[in-house]
Amino acid sequence: MIVVMKQTATEDNIQSIITKLHDLGLDAHLSRGASITLIGVVGDKSKFLAENPQLMPGVERLVPISESYKLANIKFHPEQTVIDVNGVKIGGDHFTIIAGPCAIESYDQLMESAIAAKKAGAQILRGGAYKPRTSPYSFQGLEEEGLRYMADIRKETGMPVITEVTSCKAMETAVNYVDLMQIGARNMQNFELLKEVGKSNLPVLLKRGLCATIEEWLNAAEYIMSEGNQNVILCERGIRTYETSTRNTLDISAVPVLRSKTHLPILVDPSHASGIREYIAPLSRAAIAVGADGLEIEVHPNPACALSDGPQSLNPEDFKALCEQLKPYIQLAGRKF
Amino acid sequence: MIVVMKQTATEDNIQSIITKLHDLGLDAHLSRGASITLIGVVGDKSKFLAENPQLMPGVERLVPISESYKLANIKFHPEQTVIDVNGVKIGGDHFTIIAGPCAIESYDQLMESAIAAKKAGAQILRGGAYKPRTSPYSFQGLEEEGLRYMADIRKETGMPVITEVTSCKAMETAVNYVDLMQIGARNMQNFELLKEVGKSNLPVLLKRGLCATIEEWLNAAEYIMSEGNQNVILCERGIRTYETSTRNTLDISAVPVLRSKTHLPILVDPSHASGIREYIAPLSRAAIAVGADGLEIEVHPNPACALSDGPQSLNPEDFKALCEQLKPYIQLAGRKF
Amino acid sequence: MIVVMKQTATEDNIQSIITKLHDLGLDAHLSRGASITLIGVVGDKSKFLAENPQLMPGVERLVPISESYKLANIKFHPEQTVIDVNGVKIGGDHFTIIAGPCAIESYDQLMESAIAAKKAGAQILRGGAYKPRTSPYSFQGLEEEGLRYMADIRKETGMPVITEVTSCKAMETAVNYVDLMQIGARNMQNFELLKEVGKSNLPVLLKRGLCATIEEWLNAAEYIMSEGNQNVILCERGIRTYETSTRNTLDISAVPVLRSKTHLPILVDPSHASGIREYIAPLSRAAIAVGADGLEIEVHPNPACALSDGPQSLNPEDFKALCEQLKPYIQLAGRKF
Amino acid sequence: MIVVMKQTATEDNIQSIITKLHDLGLDAHLSRGASITLIGVVGDKSKFLAENPQLMPGVERLVPISESYKLANIKFHPEQTVIDVNGVKIGGDHFTIIAGPCAIESYDQLMESAIAAKKAGAQILRGGAYKPRTSPYSFQGLEEEGLRYMADIRKETGMPVITEVTSCKAMETAVNYVDLMQIGARNMQNFELLKEVGKSNLPVLLKRGLCATIEEWLNAAEYIMSEGNQNVILCERGIRTYETSTRNTLDISAVPVLRSKTHLPILVDPSHASGIREYIAPLSRAAIAVGADGLEIEVHPNPACALSDGPQSLNPEDFKALCEQLKPYIQLAGRKF
């Protein structure tokens, strides 16, 4: 951390900061320019930050140098993490496709989705039991009934299952039925939930918040990891920008950026990123080519009857065709699928 | 709602949509142009939307015409709502200032804040007991102990108190101690929490999400109201944009925009919007002049020692000076303070 | 275009709009709902818009239905356009790489870049003679001297050349030396320049504005095309968002979105999008996989000595390695390279 | 400027940077932490930047400390600048309103606007002769004919006049007719135009670009000032964000932010910021209260017949009422009007 002093800072101002740093057991490195003086803080900056140095006389601003996340940081954990979701590997040289309906509507609908997903090559089944919806008048999910269908269908198909948990209560129920928990974009900074999920042993798919920076996203992963759960998978699902021709703007660069900052696996969700069925195939190809570890895609046996996200869901044939189209790209990327 | 048909839509495509609408008991108004045909949907559009009309053959897109929120909508409730927070009125011709520390740190710190706030003219005391923090390594709040201080200080000073609730569990505890619950920006679309808060009788201050549209924000208010709690106050606190010279970008226009769309009271939080103490005074004046019903401002007896948000907190003298400076603006705006 | 009437609109308000439409030779299609009345406008809406209908009594707002660009619109020109740049084809089943330095610094620097670009497989040489720089104290370009180098090197290497034109004056000079003119992001809505470029016969590469919507971008293309020049190539180069870990946010979805709206060829510039050398390879692969018609990449014989954009420039070896890495992706995408 | 070294940087890497700095006549201040080494650069950083230090072995990134604009910087010019526009003062304790139509349509229309503007208290008349329009099929302006009307009406009313210049050619014509030139948002980084305008003696109103940061905006002012013209007035007119309920998002905080960084006068344009007539009054009040030096407002004798921006233009009576409403706010802000 660097303390940038004001042009008008006095010698006394500078000395009191140095004294404060020494009192805290930190080193101060002074750098005097023609018009600006800088003080480099060496040591555990959190002690210094707790003193609100921005408010000390003569201070103009603070410039952070190192990241605040540690467990998620590739600097302290240089090998890529591979996460085992009940036998399915995510990360490393694996390529994983999670597919299934936005919302679980019935046993049959979920079963048909599972069969279609598995047949096309997807390894994990998704299905929403607790649905966060913009309007309170939209369908809100089957809750525990939906989770029971998930567990049943896992037994019958052998596919691990994932569901979104929208509250601590939902999480407590979900852990009994699923193999992977999803934290949705709207809950990426629901810190209570992150901490609860961190106390569980179940792997977690952490979606990026609607307008979260990559730094905030990795800090959200750190919330989970600092409670003990190291099995965090990141999923880029588009960010909010001024452009409205897609539902969100897929930040495809987030994949290589994350790769340079963290050892956690990285998926891409082209369904939510675009919101439009026609764009899912090109964006899936791009995600593979850019280096993602997998995809999360909405599949519904009959999108026209879906209770949620129908317009961005693929039907079984289209999903099968998509997977066929993706296979040579996955192979070219050197991944097992 | 308008259904825009593709240029390539056939007569059959058009007729099946009309038939579907009639089957649902809705009216269809057809408008044929040289290259595009439009179908106006008259009646309860939610029935039609549940059929995923975007996926019907020949449909290009849907254009929504009316808002999805009803209880928060000024069209159906034209008089401005005035909310009574334990004797303090918010809305109408009142002007209300909520002040206090970001985080409750001790009884003394909160008491000194309360005395300073009251002396300067603030009517409601704020204090955070559950703190959502970007990094898990930052101070997380005193929880119930902090709430007890709030209740004690309310008794001694007579000031109603507000605290942020970050989970259903926090809410269940908080309702026993405070007069007004705050939903923070990060939880604006924590729908579980919105519904729980909607079942309570306590007034709610709903902050705008970091990148929420005004439409989404009013739908979040609708979540609370549709559960029975009509006492919702909106608070603009800045949105995320590309500009980094302030912590967020205060969307000052949101005040008149909301005024034209809803009957709910509207506050402004210049502390979080700017993140910088020097900008709180000008932004407070702007908020009054633009027509806000009040302000929420961070005040701390000793910002330099604050455990959270010190750099954007005012000390007692500065807060007193600010209120003096604001009084003629409040008066000019025709408000009681 | 749809006219949405206010809830409070009178029968008279509605009738005067219908009368106005008929007076203009347009058709009005009325659709009355329980609370809202809509009027569909059929015919040339520009006549109606010129009357400022938003200001007519009883009107709430206008909802546009059809796009304002015509010549760039795939609806009126369904075949993909292939553009011939002095023998090099862009669009269709071709894949084109434009490479070279951000700024032309000397004959030798440009010549070395050309040799490296050609050897690796790039078909067109880029080089900036007029440099738009954020600070007036940065290097501003060699101007006509640089263009002369371009023309000389084109003769020697046989590669067509492209340069950015930043003003009408620069354009008048550049047309004498280059095969393709570039309009940079900062000039995407420099309408004077667009019109001038539209009067020329030379193909134009139109970069997306820093915060331009796809609709505005296609309207900018329309400015050029409506003056007679149909040879417009679009180039996505990242948009401005709140995320700062890359210089801009590459809007990869823009490629399929554009493909559905226009017949013009679409390139991607991963150098400006990311601003960081390490991300150019993954983003280039993504661009090919998503369906782009080509790439524009900054290459410099010695990036460490570059006068502009060194940190995002590739050196000859890295560029060669990149092209080798891209070839199987180009082949998989079914493109000739 | 701070050079942040990679964790893996060797002692040799560090020494070569220090040597490079010394060779350039700069000082290097070394600060070694447990995991990161920083090198503070003291002296003229532009020499060092020209060497592309980001590419030197072992360098992670550069952290700029001081601003790149000098002439516009309050640090080097602490007194507020007051600009004289043919007898009308802008800045200091003056409050200035610029009013008039978006586009000049005829002598009569401009004259009626001038009379209305002057009667209500506006000191400067605006009128567009060269119109940048999103679609090439919209009205493009009267050009020199419009400027002649401006000059005539200035003579008759005594009001100084302002017009937007959209190209160097337009500028060369306009300087003969007007007292103040406007650079529009779309041309804020049209550096050729900025340099030309900088060579003129006429004061310049520089609008903020659609997605320009405050830093870029001040650098654009620096372009003009570095050519000799110190008479630059800044005008905040809203930035592009994801929120669509207003045409742009007025960044009201930009006024106090600019005040802390520059000595140049600052105006606000509520017409373009909101795009909606009803919001102009509250935003104008906010602009005065936040500390702006003036307003630019669109006024048209008959907005319903305006060829451009009718929906956001005020008619003479509404403008008069607005000015009456604003007067007590201007007085409260301690300004002369």
Side-chain angles (χ1 to χ4, degrees):
Chain A
M1 160 150 302
I2 303 287
V3 183
V4 181
M5 301 301 292
K6 287 184 186 155
Q7 228 181 329
T8 56
T10 64
E11 194 51 38
D12 269 10
N13 295 159
I14 295 168
Q15 286 310 323
S16 14
I17 287 166
I18 295 174
T19 307
K20 167 68 75 182
L21 287 169
H22 290 165
D23 291 353
L24 293 167
L26 304 171
D27 272 357
H29 288 191
L30 197 63
S31 173
R32 291 179 198 270
S35 60
I36 297 171
T37 294
L38 307 178
I39 305 171
V41 177
V42 181
D44 176 6
K45 71 173 180 186
S46 64
K47 289 191 225 163
F48 183 54
L49 273 177
E51 304 279 330
N52 288 307
Q54 301 100 313
L55 298 178
M56 293 179 183
V59 171
E60 182 166 306
R61 65 197 159 98
L62 304 180
V63 179
I65 299 295
S66 53
E67 299 87 3
S68 53
Y69 52 93
K70 304 292 171 201
L71 298 168
N73 199 326
I74 200 168
K75 285 188 189 155
F76 308 114
H77 187 304
E79 328 74 66
Q80 292 297 317
T81 289
V82 177
I83 291 174
D84 187 309
V85 179
N86 211 348
V88 171
K89 298 279 201 315
I90 302 183
D93 60 353
H94 302 273
F95 195 85
T96 314
I97 299 183
I98 300 174
C102 177
I104 303 169
E105 297 162 12
S106 68
Y107 175 86
D108 288 352
Q109 172 249 19
L110 187 63
M111 190 57 177
E112 284 181 60
S113 305
I115 292 169
K118 192 173 182 178
K119 206 166 148 194
Q123 300 101 320
I124 298 178
L125 176 67
R126 64 159 284 161
Y130 303 90
K131 299 304 310 165
R133 303 297 296 273
T134 303
S135 163
Y137 307 121
S138 302
F139 175 62
Q140 308 273 321
L142 291 185
E143 308 196 348
E144 192 163 2
E145 184 189 344
L147 295 176
R148 276 194 293 268
Y149 298 155
M150 287 218 111
D152 290 351
I153 289 168
R154 167 176 54 173
K155 208 183 292 172
E156 295 176 62
T157 62
M159 291 179 93
V161 293
I162 176 174
T163 207
E164 179 173 349
V165 293
T166 54
S167 66
C168 297
K169 220 167 59 187
M171 193 212 98
E172 283 159 30
T173 310
V175 290
N176 301 312
Y177 297 99
V178 302
D179 307 292
L180 182 53
M181 289 181 291
Q182 178 168 310
I183 304 284
R186 283 171 187 75
N187 283 306
M188 194 204 82
Q189 290 195 320
N190 181 336
F191 300 117
E192 302 286 325
L193 182 56
L194 296 177
K195 285 189 245 179
E196 269 325 295
V197 154
K199 289 173 191 150
S200 148
N201 290 320
L202 226 49
V204 184
L205 183 86
L206 179 66
K207 293 201 137 184
R208 183 179 188 174
L210 266 80
C211 62
T213 61
I214 287 176
E215 182 89 11
E216 288 167 342
W217 191 8
L218 289 171
N219 267 299
E222 190 82 7
Y223 257 95
I224 298 170
M225 298 171 85
S226 66
E227 296 288 339
N229 189 342
Q230 307 301 308
N231 297 313
V232 178
I233 301 153
L234 302 168
C235 183
E236 161 66 29
R237 44 76 74 205
I239 58 173
R240 178 156 282 178
T241 70
Y242 67 83
E243 176 58 64
T244 56
S245 63
T246 42
R247 183 167 162 180
N248 296 287
T249 297
L250 179 64
D251 181 8
I252 194 89
S253 316
V255 178
V257 171
L258 284 171
R259 203 63 90 197
S260 73
K261 292 180 184 292
T262 186
H263 52 89
L264 300 173
I266 309 157
L267 304 191
V268 167
D269 172 350
S271 304
H272 283 89
S274 66
I276 295 172
R277 228 170 1 172
E278 283 71 20
Y279 303 149
I280 292 174
L283 294 180
S284 296
R285 296 192 308 258
I288 298 166
V290 92
D293 296 308
L295 295 166
E296 184 172 28
I297 295 178
E298 290 189 345
V299 175
H300 192 284
N302 187 355
C305 299
L307 295 182
S308 178
D309 280 353
Q312 71 192 35
S313 298
L314 297 179
N315 66 27
E317 304 90 83
D318 288 343
F319 181 62
K320 193 164 188 319
L322 171 65
C323 288
E324 288 311 311
Q325 191 192 126
L326 299 183
K327 274 175 196 167
Y329 284 91
I330 296 172
Q331 199 175 5
L332 187 52
R335 303 283 191 145
K336 290 184 223 155
F337 174 68
Chain B
M1 161 148 302
I2 303 286
V3 183
V4 181
M5 301 300 292
K6 286 185 185 152
Q7 229 182 327
T8 55
T10 64
E11 193 51 37
D12 269 9
N13 295 159
I14 294 167
Q15 286 309 323
S16 13
I17 287 165
I18 296 174
T19 307
K20 169 65 76 181
L21 287 169
H22 291 165
D23 290 354
L24 294 167
L26 304 172
D27 272 358
H29 287 192
L30 197 63
S31 172
R32 289 178 198 274
S35 60
I36 298 172
T37 295
L38 308 177
I39 304 171
V41 177
V42 181
D44 177 4
K45 71 172 179 186
S46 64
K47 289 192 225 167
F48 183 54
L49 273 177
E51 304 278 331
N52 287 309
Q54 301 98 312
L55 298 177
M56 295 178 182
V59 171
E60 182 166 308
R61 65 195 158 101
L62 305 180
V63 179
I65 299 296
S66 52
E67 298 88 2
S68 53
Y69 51 92
K70 304 293 170 201
L71 298 168
N73 199 325
I74 200 169
K75 284 187 187 155
F76 308 115
H77 187 303
E79 328 75 64
Q80 292 297 317
T81 288
V82 177
I83 291 175
D84 187 310
V85 179
N86 210 351
V88 171
K89 299 278 204 314
I90 301 183
D93 58 354
H94 302 273
F95 194 85
T96 313
I97 298 183
I98 300 175
C102 177
I104 303 170
E105 297 162 13
S106 68
Y107 176 86
D108 289 351
Q109 171 248 21
L110 187 63
M111 190 58 176
E112 283 181 59
S113 304
I115 292 169
K118 192 171 181 180
K119 206 165 148 195
Q123 300 101 323
I124 298 178
L125 176 67
R126 65 158 284 161
Y130 304 90
K131 298 306 308 167
R133 302 297 294 274
T134 303
S135 164
Y137 308 121
S138 301
F139 175 63
Q140 308 272 321
L142 292 184
E143 309 198 347
E144 193 162 3
E145 184 190 344
L147 296 176
R148 276 195 294 267
Y149 299 154
M150 287 217 111
D152 289 351
I153 290 169
R154 167 176 56 174
K155 207 182 291 170
E156 295 174 61
T157 62
M159 290 178 93
V161 293
I162 175 173
T163 207
E164 180 173 348
V165 293
T166 55
S167 67
C168 296
K169 220 168 59 187
M171 192 211 100
E172 282 159 31
T173 309
V175 290
N176 301 311
Y177 297 99
V178 303
D179 307 292
L180 182 54
M181 286 181 292
Q182 179 167 309
I183 304 286
R186 283 171 187 74
N187 283 305
M188 194 204 84
Q189 290 196 320
N190 181 338
F191 300 120
E192 302 287 321
L193 182 57
L194 297 177
K195 285 190 244 179
E196 269 325 293
V197 154
K199 288 172 190 149
S200 147
N201 289 322
L202 225 49
V204 184
L205 182 85
L206 179 67
K207 293 202 139 182
R208 184 180 188 173
L210 265 79
C211 62
T213 62
I214 287 177
E215 184 89 11
E216 288 167 341
W217 191 10
L218 290 171
N219 267 299
E222 192 81 6
Y223 256 94
I224 298 171
M225 299 170 85
S226 66
E227 296 289 339
N229 189 343
Q230 306 302 307
N231 296 313
V232 178
I233 301 154
L234 303 167
C235 184
E236 161 67 28
R237 44 78 72 207
I239 58 173
R240 179 155 283 178
T241 70
Y242 67 85
E243 176 59 61
T244 56
S245 62
T246 42
R247 183 168 164 178
N248 296 287
T249 297
L250 179 65
D251 182 9
I252 195 89
S253 314
V255 178
V257 171
L258 284 170
R259 203 62 92 196
S260 73
K261 292 181 184 291
T262 186
H263 52 90
L264 299 172
I266 308 156
L267 303 193
V268 167
D269 173 349
S271 304
H272 283 88
S274 65
I276 296 173
R277 227 167 6 167
E278 283 71 21
Y279 302 150
I280 293 176
L283 295 180
S284 295
R285 297 192 307 258
I288 298 166
V290 90
D293 296 309
L295 295 165
E296 184 172 29
I297 294 177
E298 291 190 343
V299 174
H300 192 285
N302 186 356
C305 299
L307 295 183
S308 177
D309 280 353
Q312 71 193 34
S313 298
L314 297 180
N315 65 28
E317 306 86 84
D318 288 343
F319 181 62
K320 191 163 191 318
L322 172 66
C323 289
E324 288 311 309
Q325 191 191 126
L326 298 182
K327 274 176 194 168
Y329 284 91
I330 296 172
Q331 196 175 7
L332 187 51
R335 302 284 189 144
K336 287 184 225 157
F337 175 67
Chain C
M1 161 148 302
I2 303 287
V3 183
V4 181
M5 301 300 291
K6 286 184 186 153
Q7 228 182 328
T8 55
T10 64
E11 194 51 39
D12 268 12
N13 294 159
I14 295 167
Q15 285 310 322
S16 13
I17 287 166
I18 295 173
T19 307
K20 168 65 74 180
L21 287 169
H22 291 166
D23 290 354
L24 294 167
L26 304 171
D27 272 357
H29 288 193
L30 197 62
S31 171
R32 289 178 198 272
S35 60
I36 298 172
T37 296
L38 307 177
I39 304 171
V41 177
V42 182
D44 176 5
K45 71 174 179 185
S46 64
K47 289 192 224 164
F48 184 53
L49 273 177
E51 303 279 331
N52 288 307
Q54 301 98 313
L55 298 178
M56 294 178 182
V59 171
E60 183 167 306
R61 64 196 158 100
L62 305 180
V63 179
I65 300 295
S66 52
E67 298 88 4
S68 53
Y69 52 93
K70 305 293 171 201
L71 298 168
N73 199 326
I74 200 169
K75 285 188 185 154
F76 308 115
H77 187 303
E79 327 75 63
Q80 292 298 317
T81 288
V82 177
I83 292 174
D84 187 310
V85 179
N86 211 350
V88 171
K89 299 279 203 314
I90 302 183
D93 59 355
H94 302 273
F95 194 85
T96 313
I97 298 183
I98 301 174
C102 176
I104 303 169
E105 297 162 13
S106 67
Y107 175 86
D108 288 351
Q109 171 248 20
L110 188 62
M111 190 57 176
E112 285 181 58
S113 304
I115 292 168
K118 194 174 181 179
K119 206 167 149 193
Q123 300 101 322
I124 299 178
L125 176 67
R126 64 159 284 161
Y130 304 90
K131 299 304 309 165
R133 302 298 295 273
T134 303
S135 164
Y137 307 121
S138 302
F139 175 62
Q140 310 272 320
L142 292 184
E143 308 197 347
E144 193 162 3
E145 184 189 344
L147 296 175
R148 276 194 295 267
Y149 299 154
M150 287 216 111
D152 289 352
I153 290 169
R154 167 175 57 173
K155 208 183 291 170
E156 296 175 61
T157 63
M159 291 179 92
V161 294
I162 175 173
T163 207
E164 179 172 350
V165 294
T166 54
S167 66
C168 297
K169 221 167 58 187
M171 192 211 99
E172 282 159 30
T173 310
V175 291
N176 301 312
Y177 296 98
V178 302
D179 306 291
L180 182 54
M181 287 181 291
Q182 178 169 310
I183 303 285
R186 284 172 186 73
N187 282 307
M188 194 204 84
Q189 291 196 319
N190 181 337
F191 300 119
E192 301 288 322
L193 182 57
L194 296 178
K195 285 189 245 180
E196 269 324 293
V197 154
K199 287 172 191 149
S200 149
N201 290 321
L202 225 50
V204 184
L205 183 84
L206 179 66
K207 292 203 139 184
R208 182 178 189 175
L210 265 80
C211 62
T213 62
I214 287 177
E215 183 89 11
E216 288 167 342
W217 191 8
L218 290 170
N219 267 299
E222 191 82 6
Y223 256 93
I224 298 170
M225 298 170 86
S226 66
E227 296 289 340
N229 188 343
Q230 307 301 307
N231 296 314
V232 178
I233 301 153
L234 302 168
C235 183
E236 161 66 29
R237 43 79 72 207
I239 58 173
R240 178 156 281 178
T241 70
Y242 67 84
E243 176 59 62
T244 56
S245 62
T246 42
R247 183 168 163 178
N248 297 287
T249 297
L250 179 63
D251 182 9
I252 194 88
S253 315
V255 178
V257 170
L258 284 170
R259 203 64 90 198
S260 73
K261 293 182 183 291
T262 186
H263 52 89
L264 299 172
I266 307 156
L267 304 192
V268 167
D269 173 349
S271 304
H272 283 88
S274 66
I276 296 173
R277 230 170 0 169
E278 284 71 20
Y279 303 150
I280 293 175
L283 295 180
S284 295
R285 297 193 307 258
I288 296 166
V290 91
D293 296 310
L295 294 165
E296 184 172 31
I297 294 177
E298 290 189 344
V299 174
H300 191 284
N302 186 356
C305 300
L307 295 183
S308 176
D309 280 352
Q312 71 192 35
S313 298
L314 296 180
N315 65 29
E317 305 89 83
D318 288 343
F319 181 61
K320 192 162 188 322
L322 172 67
C323 289
E324 287 311 309
Q325 190 192 126
L326 299 183
K327 273 175 195 168
Y329 284 92
I330 296 172
Q331 197 175 6
L332 186 52
R335 301 285 189 144
K336 289 185 226 157
F337 175 68
Chain D
M1 159 149 306
I2 303 286
V3 182
V4 181
M5 300 302 290
K6 287 185 187 154
Q7 230 181 326
T8 56
T10 64
E11 193 51 37
D12 268 10
N13 295 160
I14 294 168
Q15 286 310 324
S16 15
I17 288 166
I18 295 173
T19 306
K20 169 65 78 182
L21 287 169
H22 291 164
D23 289 355
L24 293 167
L26 304 172
D27 272 356
H29 288 192
L30 196 63
S31 171
R32 289 179 198 271
S35 59
I36 298 171
T37 295
L38 307 177
I39 304 170
V41 177
V42 181
D44 176 6
K45 70 171 181 188
S46 64
K47 288 192 224 162
F48 183 53
L49 274 176
E51 303 279 331
N52 288 307
Q54 301 100 313
L55 298 177
M56 292 178 184
V59 171
E60 182 165 307
R61 65 198 157 97
L62 305 180
V63 179
I65 300 294
S66 54
E67 299 87 4
S68 53
Y69 51 94
K70 305 292 171 201
L71 299 168
N73 199 325
I74 200 169
K75 285 187 188 154
F76 308 114
H77 186 306
E79 329 74 66
Q80 292 298 316
T81 289
V82 177
I83 292 174
D84 186 309
V85 179
N86 210 350
V88 171
K89 298 279 201 313
I90 302 184
D93 59 353
H94 302 272
F95 195 85
T96 314
I97 298 183
I98 300 174
C102 177
I104 304 169
E105 297 163 12
S106 68
Y107 176 86
D108 288 351
Q109 172 250 18
L110 188 62
M111 190 57 177
E112 284 180 59
S113 304
I115 292 168
K118 192 172 183 178
K119 207 167 149 193
Q123 301 100 321
I124 298 178
L125 176 67
R126 66 158 283 161
Y130 303 90
K131 298 304 310 165
R133 303 298 295 271
T134 303
S135 165
Y137 307 121
S138 302
F139 175 63
Q140 310 272 322
L142 291 185
E143 307 196 349
E144 191 162 4
E145 184 189 344
L147 295 176
R148 277 194 293 267
Y149 299 156
M150 286 218 112
D152 290 352
I153 289 168
R154 167 175 56 173
K155 207 183 292 170
E156 295 175 62
T157 62
M159 290 178 92
V161 293
I162 175 174
T163 207
E164 179 173 347
V165 293
T166 55
S167 66
C168 297
K169 220 168 58 188
M171 192 211 98
E172 283 159 30
T173 310
V175 292
N176 302 311
Y177 296 100
V178 301
D179 307 291
L180 181 55
M181 289 181 291
Q182 179 167 308
I183 304 285
R186 283 171 188 73
N187 283 306
M188 193 204 82
Q189 290 196 320
N190 181 337
F191 300 118
E192 302 287 322
L193 183 56
L194 296 178
K195 286 189 246 181
E196 270 324 295
V197 154
K199 290 172 191 149
S200 148
N201 289 320
L202 226 47
V204 184
L205 184 86
L206 179 67
K207 292 202 139 185
R208 183 179 188 174
L210 265 80
C211 62
T213 61
I214 286 177
E215 183 88 10
E216 288 167 341
W217 192 9
L218 289 171
N219 267 300
E222 191 81 5
Y223 256 94
I224 299 170
M225 298 171 86
S226 66
E227 295 289 340
N229 189 342
Q230 307 301 308
N231 296 313
V232 178
I233 300 153
L234 303 166
C235 183
E236 160 67 31
R237 45 76 75 206
I239 58 173
R240 177 155 283 178
T241 70
Y242 68 82
E243 176 59 62
T244 56
S245 63
T246 42
R247 184 168 164 180
N248 297 288
T249 297
L250 179 64
D251 181 8
I252 195 90
S253 315
V255 178
V257 171
L258 285 170
R259 201 64 89 196
S260 72
K261 292 181 184 293
T262 186
H263 52 89
L264 300 172
I266 309 156
L267 304 192
V268 167
D269 173 349
S271 304
H272 283 88
S274 66
I276 297 173
R277 225 167 8 168
E278 283 71 19
Y279 303 149
I280 293 175
L283 294 180
S284 296
R285 296 192 309 257
I288 297 166
V290 91
D293 295 310
L295 295 165
E296 184 171 30
I297 295 177
E298 291 189 346
V299 174
H300 191 285
N302 186 356
C305 299
L307 295 183
S308 177
D309 280 352
Q312 71 192 35
S313 297
L314 297 179
N315 65 29
E317 305 90 82
D318 288 342
F319 181 63
K320 193 166 189 319
L322 171 65
C323 289
E324 288 309 311
Q325 192 192 123
L326 298 183
K327 275 177 193 165
Y329 284 91
I330 297 172
Q331 198 175 6
L332 186 52
R335 303 283 191 146
K336 291 185 224 155
F337 175 69

